[in-house]
Amino acid sequence: MSGRVALVTGGAGGIGTEISRKLAQEGYRVVVTCAPVFECPNLEEWKRLRKEEGMDIPVYEADVADFESCKAAVEQIEREVGPVEILVNCAGITRDSTLKRMTPQQWNEVIDTNLNSVFNMTKQVFTGMTDRGYGRIVNISSINGRKGQFGQANYSAAKAGMHGFTMAIAQEGVSKGVTVNTISPGYIGTEMVKKIPEEVLKKIVAQIPVGRLGKPEEIARVVAFLVHEESAFITGANIDINGGQFIH
Ligand code: CAA
Ligand code: NAP
């Protein structure tokens, strides 16, 4: 796809890896950011696996919760690789707890990493996109931002906020060739979901009509669809991918 630069935050995580692989396979120049290296112990292994698959994907450090860190990373990426034309905001965390037990730290970490991150990253690339007249932004939200989830007041608030951001920025980009969309995955089989206690997860899977967890590839293919040049008429939308767990 004409070698456009695609930046995927959290691009070495469970869903991010499949998004990165899919976009690289489709001919984008993919660049991944991950949290500062001490949190990425498997990074060298990740790069080696991509090389084996014929993909040379540079990885830059950026703490998405920190505006200055995002600014420095994007400046470096644009200097070394080129202007970012596609941004996938995929980095995220959970700090699950009932509200009764939730600490301000658990609240703030999730809001900073899952919602403020979207401002921190998009702010670095949006003006360049509108000035050049082309851009694609995809925000990875969640089913739990759509319906709320017991034990996830922080996460549900942040993920719902992401789509508010999408709808606002979509209006600012629409006449300048920049589309902004949200994807709301259901429960996908990654490390994030593996942290849920087994008994609790069993009950959740029983509520998924398709009868299983989703696969990261099932998210990646929709990202590829949305960032395609021919998807220019889709903006401000939310796409649910949840095996029928929440139909609205
Ligand atoms: N609805 C109503 N009541 C519920 C409930 C639910 N969904 N889940 C638990 N309860 C009840 C329990 O039955 C229990 O009741 P009693 O006190 O009467 O026995 C009470 O609430 C406390 O439940 P727990 O024992 O589970 O409480 P806990 O403090 O040990 O754990 C929790 C709370 C951490 C939130 C735990 O329930 C949990 O991990 N839940 C899963 C939350 C979840 O779905 N996280 C998704 C993570 S992955 C992700 O976020 C990706 C994505 O986007 C989909
Ligand atoms: P994951 O494997 O845990 O990946 C999360 C990624 O986010 C990791 O690469 C992690 O980087 C990165 N990250 C976390 N904090 C960061 C920070 N401060 N700065 C930069 N990067 C940071 O989880 P996943 O399932 O692939 O989740 C990816 C996205 O999809 C998240 O936004 C999540 O909320 C969303 N989602 C997931 C599901 C699901 O069921 N799995 C469902 C709906 C939505 P490090 O490895 O360097 O820490």
Side-chain angles (χ1 to χ4, degrees):
M1 185 45 70
S2 64
R4 293 186 187 279
V5 176
L7 167 54
V8 184
T9 73
I15 294 176
T17 294
E18 290 310 318
I19 295 173
S20 303
R21 293 175 77 232
K22 178 78 176 165
L23 297 186
Q25 282 159 4
E26 299 215 345
Y28 297 92
R29 273 189 292 157
V30 177
V31 178
V32 154
T33 62
C34 75
V37 162
F38 61 89
E39 290 187 33
C40 298
N42 298 321
L43 194 55
E44 289 311 316
E45 175 67 357
W46 189 90
K47 285 199 265 189
R48 192 186 63 72
L49 287 172
R50 299 294 82 74
K51 278 230 169 81
E52 267 180 26
E53 294 169 350
M55 300 168 191
D56 192 5
I57 302 182
V59 182
Y60 290 81
E61 282 177 32
D63 178 358
V64 293
D66 181 308
F67 185 84
E68 292 305 325
S69 172
C70 294
K71 184 165 185 278
V74 172
E75 279 172 2
Q76 194 184 353
I77 289 164
E78 296 208 319
R79 227 176 20 246
E80 294 178 1
V81 187
V84 174
E85 294 186 284
I86 292 138
L87 171 65
V88 183
N89 284 307
C90 183
I93 57 168
T94 53
R95 297 286 182 268
D96 293 357
S97 165
T98 54
L99 186 62
K100 191 173 168 186
R101 292 195 188 139
M102 189 176 288
T103 62
Q105 186 180 350
Q106 287 173 316
W107 172 266
N108 288 327
E109 282 179 4
V110 170
I111 299 296
D112 282 344
T113 308
N114 295 9
L115 179 59
N116 290 339
S117 58
V118 178
F119 169 79
N120 293 342
M121 266 295 173
T122 308
K123 176 79 179 152
Q124 315 305 335
V125 299
F126 192 69
T127 305
M129 288 178 177
T130 53
D131 286 353
R132 291 187 298 272
Y134 187 86
R136 297 280 182 269
I137 298 170
V138 177
N139 294 322
I140 307 297
S141 176
S142 165
I143 183 175
N144 293 340
R146 305 267 292 140
K147 69 171 187 59
Q149 171 64 1
F150 182 100
Q152 285 199 310
N154 48 4
Y155 187 90
S156 300
K159 292 296 186 181
M162 280 178 107
H163 189 54
F165 181 89
T166 291
M167 292 189 291
I169 301 308
Q171 294 177 41
E172 295 185 24
V174 72
S175 62
K176 316 271 181 176
V178 180
T179 69
V180 190
N181 292 290
T182 300
I183 291 176
S184 296
Y187 285 74
I188 311 297
T190 69
E191 289 303 317
M192 184 175 273
V193 160
K194 286 181 196 154
K195 285 184 197 151
I196 302 172
E198 205 180 321
E199 285 312 306
V200 177
L201 184 58
K202 257 192 210 158
K203 286 186 196 151
I204 291 170
V205 174
Q207 292 163 9
I208 305 174
V210 167
R212 62 167 173 85
L213 294 174
K215 300 175 193 161
E217 304 89 280
E218 291 171 319
I219 308 305
R221 70 195 301 272
V222 181
V223 173
F225 169 74
L226 287 174
V227 304
H228 199 281
E229 275 174 15
E230 290 175 6
S231 296
F233 211 58
I234 308 172
T235 196
N238 172 66
I239 301 190
D240 292 314
I241 310 175
N242 61 37
Q245 190 183 351
F246 179 69
I247 296 177
H248 177 76

